Amino acid sequence: MLVILGLFTSFLSILYLTAPSIRKFFAGGVCTTNVQIPGKVVVITGANTGIGKETARELARRGARVYIACRDVLKGESAASEIRADTKNSQVLVRKLDLSDTKSIRAFAEGFLAEEKKLHILINNAGVMMYPYSKTTDGFETHLGVNHLGHFLLTYLLLGRLKESAPARVVNLSSVAHLGGKIRFHDLQGEKRYCSGFAYCHSKLANVLFTRELAKRLQGTGVTAYVVHPGIVMSEIVRHSFLLCLLWRLFSPFFKSTRQGAQTSLHCALAEGLEPLSGKYFSDCKRTWVSPRARNKKTAERLWNVSCELLGIQWE
């Protein structure tokens, strides 16, 4: 028993000593484009922390006017102040957006459209993970409501400005967890059966299907859409699960940093010549495979129609 314990301890020690090399190996792709975007207008949801914050930092560094759209305005102002100091770009602004409340989404969109005449990049970055069963202000299951329906409505409300500003891009953050997802139309709100882990997977599949259908409907408009798996990243998204927080701390030396996690979002927002790949799924700064469920055209169309019904909108 002592021998086994000793071997296990030695294995862990070696693993942690080699962690920097392992982390570098799994760091994934890097956004290599040198494109500068002075004068471009960008909206990023949830950019007060994590991947979104690093995405905002890099786009600000490249000269964009960046809107940090987040629920916690104080955290947003703190992040914006840090980014402004780091990039010497004063055009980093914070606006309140609560994706769990359609009134807040509409108020944000109304304020933004009154303030800005252009929108070149919309990055739907915010999300919740492993959230205990609850419903949004409008009665939607939280993962579905925040991760999918909230961004669905936001994109709908801002799409006219994106078209007017074309060429423009929409980048939706999903996850490899979409592989475990299934759109359960008979129980979208999880009232019959609920598991926080699977609810997250379902919402991430919805992100992929939404992007696919959005790209199809945007053909010829000059607006393109992409969906991203950022990788396994050290961020605050796991804060609602004690077990995941524990695992994240234990294996943190092997996970991507938030800066590394932002690279694929940046690639899809900035890389030149990406237009023919509108609607595709990216990981490590390249197009990659998606599950058969994520390629189902009928499911994508039905989810689109059901989402419009739930939100009370008509989106042709």
Side-chain angles (χ1 to χ4, degrees):
M1 187 66 183
L2 289 175
V3 173
I4 294 173
L5 184 61
L7 289 172
F8 182 68
T9 303
S10 298
F11 171 74
L12 285 179
S13 299
I14 293 170
L15 195 63
Y16 273 83
L17 284 172
T18 57
S21 298
I22 296 172
R23 186 173 185 170
K24 185 177 180 180
F25 179 78
F26 286 108
V30 175
C31 177
T32 57
T33 179
N34 293 318
V35 169
Q36 300 297 308
I37 51 173
K40 300 294 185 181
V41 180
V42 180
V43 169
I44 311 175
T45 67
N48 58 310
T49 187
I51 297 169
K53 180 180 174 182
E54 293 308 314
T55 305
R57 189 193 309 274
E58 183 57 31
L59 294 176
R61 183 174 286 118
R62 293 175 187 245
R65 180 175 171 89
V66 179
Y67 281 82
I68 293 175
C70 60
R71 184 174 58 180
D72 191 329
V73 175
L74 289 178
K75 279 189 176 180
E77 291 291 357
S78 176
S81 178
E82 178 187 321
I83 293 169
R84 287 192 291 262
D86 184 30
T87 63
K88 306 300 185 286
N89 182 345
S90 63
Q91 299 299 298
V92 181
L93 309 168
V94 180
R95 298 293 181 267
K96 184 173 178 61
L97 171 67
D98 184 350
L99 289 163
S100 68
D101 184 349
T102 57
K103 287 183 179 178
S104 175
I105 298 169
R106 289 181 179 278
F108 168 82
E110 183 180 352
F112 176 82
L113 293 174
E115 191 172 358
E116 287 289 347
K117 300 305 178 188
K118 296 289 183 181
L119 175 58
H120 303 94
I121 302 171
L122 170 62
I123 302 181
N124 291 319
N125 165 86
V128 294
M129 180 181 184
M130 300 290 286
Y131 208 83
Y133 187 78
S134 62
K135 291 188 175 183
T136 67
T137 303
D138 302 275
F140 307 133
E141 186 278 316
T142 299
H143 291 91
L144 178 76
V146 172
N147 295 353
H148 170 59
L149 291 173
H151 284 127
F152 188 96
L153 178 60
L154 179 66
T155 306
Y156 165 77
L157 295 170
L158 298 181
L159 190 59
R161 194 56 40 93
L162 284 161
K163 288 179 178 179
E164 292 168 4
S165 310
R169 294 184 181 184
V170 178
V171 180
N172 295 321
L173 266 71
S174 180
S175 167
V176 70
H178 85 272
L179 296 172
K182 183 178 182 181
I183 305 302
R184 303 165 66 239
F185 288 106
H186 66 287
D187 189 25
L188 272 180
Q189 310 302 339
E191 294 171 329
K192 298 177 181 178
R193 185 177 63 185
Y194 182 77
C195 167
S196 61
F198 280 117
Y200 175 73
C201 294
H202 302 334
S203 71
K204 294 293 100 180
L205 174 59
N207 293 150
V208 182
L209 291 167
F210 167 47
T211 308
R212 180 189 183 95
E213 186 67 13
L214 178 64
K216 185 180 78 173
R217 292 168 182 258
L218 288 176
Q219 288 179 5
T221 66
V223 182
T224 50
Y226 312 90
V227 61
V228 165
H229 166 55
I232 303 176
V233 180
M234 276 304 301
S235 71
E236 295 180 11
I237 195 169
V238 298
R239 62 188 178 276
H240 301 295
S241 169
F242 174 77
L243 178 60
L244 281 182
C245 284
L246 190 63
L247 289 172
W248 251 239
R249 286 184 179 276
L250 183 62
F251 292 101
S252 61
F254 311 102
F255 292 167
K256 287 184 178 183
S257 66
T258 51
R259 183 176 181 277
Q260 291 167 336
Q263 295 303 303
T264 307
S265 296
L266 292 166
H267 173 76
C268 289
L270 298 168
E272 297 172 297
L274 219 57
E275 288 75 15
L277 296 179
S278 182
K280 303 307 180 185
Y281 175 77
F282 286 76
S283 178
D284 289 332
C285 298
K286 62 182 182 292
R287 180 186 172 184
T288 192
W289 183 86
V290 291
S291 72
R293 286 174 178 161
R295 299 194 300 270
N296 191 303
K297 294 180 181 179
K298 290 184 178 180
T299 303
E301 290 174 358
R302 186 178 176 188
L303 178 64
W304 183 282
N305 293 330
V306 169
S307 299
C308 287
E309 290 173 11
L310 289 171
L311 292 165
I313 59 176
Q314 290 185 332
W315 190 349
E316 300 301 329

